[in-house]
Amino acid sequence: MPAVTVENPLTLPRVTAPADAVARRVLTVTTAPSGYEGEGFPVRRAFAGINYRHLDPFIMMDQMGEVEYAPGEPKGTPWHPHRGFETVTYIIDGVFDHQDSNGGGGTITNGDTQWMTAGSGLLHIEAPPESLVVSGGLFHGLQLWVNLPAKDKMMAPRYQDIRGGNVQLLTTPDGGALLRVIAGELDGHQGPGITHTPITMIHATLAPGAELTLPWREDFNGLAYVLAGRGSVGAERRPIHLGQTAVFGAGSSLTVRADEKQDSHTPDLEVVLLGGQPIREPMAHYGPFVMNTKEELMQAFEDFQKGRLGSIPAVHGMTEGGI
């Protein structure tokens, strides 16, 4: 699955929760419905059906793929606007090109992350490069939306290009799990992503039968989404599998285990662990805009329609972004 790995995890720093940590119980496990996004690439809506009070500051997350495209099939999104939050695109397999009206952009592949702070607003496009469209191939990734507090919603847009080789790699005491810290901090180890809203984002790979118990900030929420494989979560060993999200309750540690037997096409349990400091502000979300009030949403749509969120570079020969 992921390109960022090591032959011997025991060469990495090891993390574990202290003996007196309070284990977080599992409040709920939900199954993501499937759908399509952009020009028609398949997604799983990871947070569908979860009460926002358990997600805050996260808004939504889509698992893109895993899909094996035939030649000519790879798809992306048309030009579209955003305001009021951050988009985090993590590519596990495949290639995606990004460009925005603020001058940000680049190509991300195999373990890279594109972190776009929309802030006051911009237009952007994400699409497979022409070479991938011609050849076809495997595509698999995530897109996470992270809310911004009211004081930061109209900040200047920013783009971070996080290469897979820069993520913080960690393991468990027995080396049974590989942890990739993309953003935030885990047991004193800092990931490369710079966040306005305090969060932790980790992609963990657990070998069959492996268990990880991690220290977790008590002021953060706790979420686990399964990208591939089967396992269990929490001290109560609640079963969980591909396409499911576990919501953890209060406490200072969380536990994930991989089943001894995995699916034939998946050697390990692959899980994304998310934690964030809730913003606890009113949220008004419609389409590509996430604001605090309906009036701010209406203003965002007006600003987009009047071209105030930027313009599509002339090289693309398009006249208007999609929503």
Side-chain angles (χ1 to χ4, degrees):
M1 182 183 267
V4 182
T5 187
V6 293
E7 288 189 13
N8 182 9
L10 290 173
T11 62
L12 301 173
R14 307 177 197 187
V15 296
T16 188
D20 61 351
V22 177
R24 290 175 175 245
R25 295 188 62 81
V26 177
L27 300 180
T28 184
V29 172
T30 60
T31 300
S34 298
Y36 291 90
E37 187 55 80
E39 296 171 339
F41 58 84
V43 298
R44 287 186 175 92
R45 306 288 191 191
F47 296 161
I50 300 175
N51 192 298
Y52 182 64
R53 73 176 186 275
H54 297 314
L55 298 176
D56 186 11
F58 306 111
I59 302 163
M60 58 151 277
M61 186 169 73
D62 283 347
Q63 180 180 9
M64 305 179 295
E66 180 175 5
V67 59
E68 184 76 41
Y69 284 120
E73 283 188 342
K75 299 175 176 67
T77 68
W79 282 94
H80 58 284
H82 286 306
R83 171 181 280 180
F85 64 102
E86 300 183 284
T87 67
V88 182
T89 306
Y90 175 51
I91 298 299
I92 299 167
D93 287 297
V95 187
F96 232 27
D97 286 339
H98 164 84
Q99 185 176 7
D100 66 47
S101 57
N102 194 50
T107 299
I108 53 174
T109 183
N110 299 348
D112 297 338
T113 301
Q114 155 207 305
W115 200 294
M116 188 183 76
T117 304
S120 59
L122 43 63
L123 307 179
H124 85 141
I125 187 172
E126 294 165 306
E130 185 64 27
S131 59
L132 182 63
V133 174
V134 171
S135 67
L138 183 62
F139 181 76
H140 190 196
L142 285 176
Q143 185 166 99
L144 171 71
W145 288 15
V146 185
N147 203 2
L148 288 169
K151 66 181 181 62
D152 293 330
K153 283 195 178 293
M154 296 299 287
M155 67 177 294
R158 182 180 69 181
Y159 178 83
Q160 297 177 67
D161 182 24
I162 302 171
R163 292 294 145 181
N166 294 330
V167 302
Q168 176 67 63
L169 299 180
L170 306 169
T171 191
T172 46
D174 64 358
L178 175 62
L179 308 173
R180 305 165 191 83
V181 184
I182 297 167
E185 177 267 343
L186 179 65
D187 198 27
H189 301 278
Q190 190 72 38
I194 300 170
T195 69
H196 293 281
T197 303
I199 73 165
T200 295
M201 180 179 182
I202 298 166
H203 174 195
T205 300
L206 285 76
E211 175 179 310
L212 65 82
T213 298
L214 300 178
W216 211 251
R217 279 181 51 167
E218 292 188 67
D219 60 337
F220 276 21
N221 59 0
L223 303 163
Y225 176 75
V226 178
L227 292 164
R230 295 179 175 275
S232 62
V233 285
E236 60 270 48
R237 294 181 180 246
R238 184 93 171 257
I240 193 169
H241 59 73
L242 166 65
Q244 291 190 315
T245 301
V247 176
F248 291 90
S252 55
S253 73
L254 56 80
T255 297
V256 179
R257 300 172 189 82
D259 285 355
E260 293 282 355
K261 293 184 178 180
Q262 295 295 326
D263 299 332
S264 59
H265 64 284
T266 303
D268 304 306
L269 173 65
E270 304 282 350
V271 62
V272 174
L273 302 173
L274 295 169
Q277 191 173 65
I279 296 173
R280 295 192 177 95
E281 293 177 349
M283 184 180 72
H285 171 204
Y286 188 82
F289 305 123
V290 183
M291 305 303 292
N292 293 103
T293 66
K294 289 183 179 180
E295 290 74 20
E296 290 170 342
L297 277 183
M298 293 172 64
Q299 185 64 55
F301 274 104
E302 179 182 331
D303 289 345
F304 166 58
Q305 291 165 352
K306 293 187 175 180
R308 297 171 185 152
L309 300 191
S311 58
I312 297 170
V315 68
H316 287 272
M318 301 179 186
T319 59
E320 187 173 278
I323 294 179

